């Protein structure tokens, strides 16, 4: 089996395409294992779709399925473009809905995220004020002055209490700086696209940022987020890292 590894803002994914749909949770755990596999935050499998360029199966590193992944959507788009599975302007189907993406020069990809929903606002827990926002998957967002207060133990408790990813965001010099604890990975990751979207939406709703902003996740890369009539668009660079041939007997 031939797979490829892509990175979008530090979020890394194993990707391949096939004609069949099936449960690949075991394969995701095996391939994403950073000691005995290739190592990744998630597995993306592209499959044909009758009316859109393709559909995807998305798995977290622990084998669980996720409806949406912002960075994964950009990585999948570049993979599809690289393999002539889709043109530069494409649409594909996720469990959260249809995603539209555009591949620009030098591997920059912008994806249109699924419609967001603010589920809860301004509730206090663990000494912090949270919003809960669904940007394809549920996220908790707390605004802080300094990201050094990020606490992985608190984030883990909040993740399990609310079955959501957990984000700390600080607004510094007009830019959003974000740290995210992701369910399915069960740890802090270098970036989370839907998490950055949730942070942007909270600050936009509260009037702290305008309709477009720069966002810097833990990876240190700078990405762009914008809102156009309530639709969120997320742009940044994607890298193809390498191709790997994995033995079928180990990863079947």
């Amino acid at each position: 089996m031939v797979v490829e590894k892509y990175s979008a803002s530090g979020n890394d994914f194993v990707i391949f395409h096939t004609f069949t749909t099936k449960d690949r949770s075991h394969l995701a755990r095996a391939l994403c294992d950073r000691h005995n596999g290739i190592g990744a935050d998630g597995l993306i499998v592209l499959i044909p779709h009758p009316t859109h360029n393709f559909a995807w199966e998305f798995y977290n590193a622990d084998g669980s399925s996720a409806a949406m992944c912002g960075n994964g959507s950009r990585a999948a788009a570049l993979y599809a473009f690289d393999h002539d599975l889709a043109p530069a302007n494409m649409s594909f189907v996720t469990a959260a809905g249809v995603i539209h993406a555009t591949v620009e020069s030098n591997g920059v990809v912008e994806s249109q995220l699924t419609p967001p929903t603010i589920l809860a606002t301004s509730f206090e827990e663990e000494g912090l004020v949270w919003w809960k926002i669904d940007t394809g998957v549920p996220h908790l967002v707390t605004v802080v002055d300094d990201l050094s207060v990020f606490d992985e133990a608190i984030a883990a408790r909040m993740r399990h209490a609310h079955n959501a990813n957990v984000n700390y965001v600080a607004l510094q010099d007009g830019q959003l700086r974000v740290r995210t604890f992701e369910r399915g990975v069960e740890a802090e990751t270098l970036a989370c696209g839907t998490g950055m979207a949730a942070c942007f939406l909270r600050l936009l709703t509260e009037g702290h940022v305008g309709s477009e902003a720069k966002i810097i996740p833990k990876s240190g890369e700078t990405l762009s987020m914008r809102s156009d009539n309530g639709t969120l668009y997320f742009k940044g660079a994607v890298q193809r890292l390498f191709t790997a041939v994995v033995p079928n007997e180990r990863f079947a």
Side-chain angles (χ1 to χ4, degrees):
M1 179 172 61
V2 178
V3 302
E4 296 195 4
K5 185 170 178 178
Y6 280 67
S7 175
S9 309
N11 247 169
D12 54 350
F13 306 95
V14 176
I15 309 177
F16 68 91
H17 61 280
T18 184
F19 290 101
T20 59
T21 299
K22 65 178 183 179
D23 181 357
R24 294 183 169 91
S25 54
H26 171 76
L27 178 63
R29 289 192 296 271
L31 289 174
C32 294
D33 189 301
R34 295 194 183 275
H35 298 287
N36 299 305
I38 291 175
D41 292 324
L43 169 67
I44 300 172
V45 183
L46 277 57
I47 55 177
H49 191 274
T51 57
H52 295 277
N53 295 112
F54 59 91
W56 83 0
E57 298 172 0
F58 185 92
Y59 298 90
N60 294 309
D62 67 355
S64 61
S65 296
M68 177 54 185
C69 175
N71 286 320
S73 71
R74 294 189 301 113
L78 184 59
Y79 175 95
F81 180 74
D82 287 346
H83 290 80
D84 296 322
L85 301 175
N89 293 296
M90 68 186 76
S91 64
F92 58 95
V93 177
T94 74
V98 176
I99 300 297
H100 297 271
T102 301
V103 177
E104 301 180 1
S105 59
N106 301 319
V108 172
V109 180
E110 181 176 70
S111 63
Q112 173 190 326
L113 303 181
T114 53
T117 304
I118 297 175
L119 302 174
T121 63
S122 304
F123 65 93
E124 294 189 32
E125 201 166 333
E126 298 281 359
L128 297 164
V129 178
W130 303 89
W131 284 34
K132 188 173 184 180
I133 301 172
D134 192 312
T135 48
V137 290
H139 284 271
L140 296 172
V141 177
T142 187
V143 181
V144 297
D145 294 326
D146 185 346
L147 282 182
S148 66
V149 301
F150 178 88
D151 188 311
E152 191 155 323
I154 289 175
R157 290 197 296 271
M158 291 296 292
R159 171 264 182 271
H160 288 287
H162 297 272
N163 190 26
N165 300 286
V166 180
N167 306 269
Y168 286 53
V169 57
L171 183 61
Q172 299 174 352
D173 300 322
Q175 297 180 323
L176 284 66
R177 294 184 177 270
V178 177
R179 294 180 68 175
T180 302
F181 183 98
E182 286 199 61
R183 64 179 188 175
V185 180
E186 305 306 333
E188 183 181 10
T189 56
L190 292 178
C192 174
T194 52
M196 287 184 272
C199 292
F200 170 72
L201 183 59
R202 173 173 175 174
L203 293 181
L204 175 65
T205 303
E206 293 183 305
H208 298 306
V209 297
S211 60
E212 187 167 351
K214 300 295 186 184
I215 304 182
I216 303 174
K218 189 178 180 182
S219 67
E221 297 182 40
T222 300
L223 300 106
S224 298
M225 187 77 64
R226 63 184 177 94
S227 175
D228 185 355
N229 293 320
T231 299
L232 299 183
Y233 295 84
F234 180 44
K235 180 190 288 190
V238 180
Q239 290 181 297
R240 177 188 169 278
L241 299 180
F242 58 79
T243 301
V245 179
V246 296
N248 288 332
E249 61 271 17
R250 277 199 59 204
F251 295 99

